[in-house]
Amino acid sequence: MKAVHQVVQDAWQHWVGDGFPVRSLLSYAGENRFDPFLLLDYAGPHTFEPASTVRGVAEHPHRGFETVTIVYQGELAHRDSTGSHGTIGPGDVQWMTAASGVVHEEFHSERFTRSGGTLEMVQLWVNLPASEKMRPPRYQGLLKSGIPEATLPDDAGTVRVIAGQFEDTHGPAETFTPVDVWDVQIARGGTFPFTLPDGHTALVLVQAGTARVNAANVAAIGLVELERTGTEVIVETDDAARLLFLSGAPINEPVVGQGPFVMNTRDEIRQAIEDFREGRIGRIESPDE
């Protein structure tokens, strides 16, 4: 069994732009023990009133890693300097490989802006190995209809496999290192065993309800960090709950980050800043262009 290293609960909420009230549940700062995961932000649930001006984060750069955005409620619109664009709603996932660099923007969709409603989403940053950090960027828009779902025994719940593998079900996301991302819905109370790879970083986010994860009591919004050794994770619930399972093979390389750039050396960070200032990372074309 994977022992519980710590439980992160009651994280401070802050705003990213004017559209995302987030709790930052993990960061790569310090010893980078969450390798290959760099950051996990949980946004909402937050109710927005109808508006005429879209809310969100204006164009900004990234280099050296991937951003994974999972929407549970609300709707987001994305555009970037590669020409990729799309709108994702409940159950959809945006997997953006920044790699050598993109400039992008993230806003509430125009439809969600006009109607208002509840926004709830997760954004995860996944590191890239040094050999992939300067590859061309890539965008994967994973719609709910294309994400396979496995059923827990006795119809006790479901596991949507976004990346990696749960039993015989494989996720559609293409990754550069072994990563599992499972969206788990537990419909009723019970005991549910899960298996994660030995030696991998392992995290369980309780998003709704309460759960005992390897005997640690966790309420929403809480993150369980498990030790890398061992394979078994036992989740116990008294009622319905929703959890996000994350596991990944550590990359075990130096991590140097500054703002939206995560590389391996300070010189590479300086180069990223210069490339952005000189326009070499790209720009977002206007709709007219």
Side-chain angles (χ1 to χ4, degrees), residues 100-251:
S100 60
V102 296
V103 176
H104 79 141
E105 61 182 24
E106 301 164 287
F107 285 97
H108 299 179
S109 71
E110 291 188 4
R111 177 168 53 191
F112 181 75
T113 299
R114 291 193 302 269
S115 66
T118 301
L119 177 72
E120 183 181 11
M121 54 170 273
V122 163
Q123 185 167 98
L124 173 71
W125 289 11
V126 182
N127 199 15
L128 289 170
S131 59
E132 304 290 353
K133 283 184 178 291
M134 292 303 290
R135 65 172 286 117
R138 180 178 70 183
Y139 177 84
Q140 300 177 76
L142 309 175
L143 299 181
K144 179 181 179 180
S145 59
I147 299 174
E149 189 172 272
T151 302
L152 293 174
D154 302 319
D155 291 325
T158 58
V159 179
R160 290 201 319 143
V161 185
I162 297 167
Q165 179 178 354
F166 173 77
E167 297 181 345
D168 295 328
T169 303
H170 296 259
E174 298 179 11
T175 66
F176 293 92
T177 57
V179 172
D180 292 300
V181 180
W182 304 340
D183 177 19
V184 178
Q185 304 272 351
I186 295 176
R188 62 176 185 273
T191 300
F192 309 95
F194 296 87
T195 300
L196 296 174
D198 183 44
H200 284 205
T201 298
L203 306 163
V204 180
L205 172 64
V206 177
Q207 298 169 268
T210 59
R212 290 177 296 282
V213 179
N214 286 357
N217 293 314
V218 191
I221 310 300
L223 181 71
V224 182
E225 178 194 356
L226 299 161
E227 298 289 353
R228 290 178 181 172
T229 55
T231 62
E232 190 176 38
V233 181
I234 296 177
V235 175
E236 301 170 274
T237 66
D238 296 322
D239 210 333
R242 188 174 76 233
L243 305 97
L244 183 67
F245 276 67
L246 305 171
S247 69
I251 296 172

Side-chain angles (χ1 to χ4, degrees), residues 63 81 103 272-283:
R63 172 178 281 181
S81 54
V103 176
I273 293 170
E274 180 182 334
D275 287 347
F276 173 61
R277 287 175 174 167
E278 297 299 320
R280 290 190 288 266
I281 288 181
R283 56 184 287 270

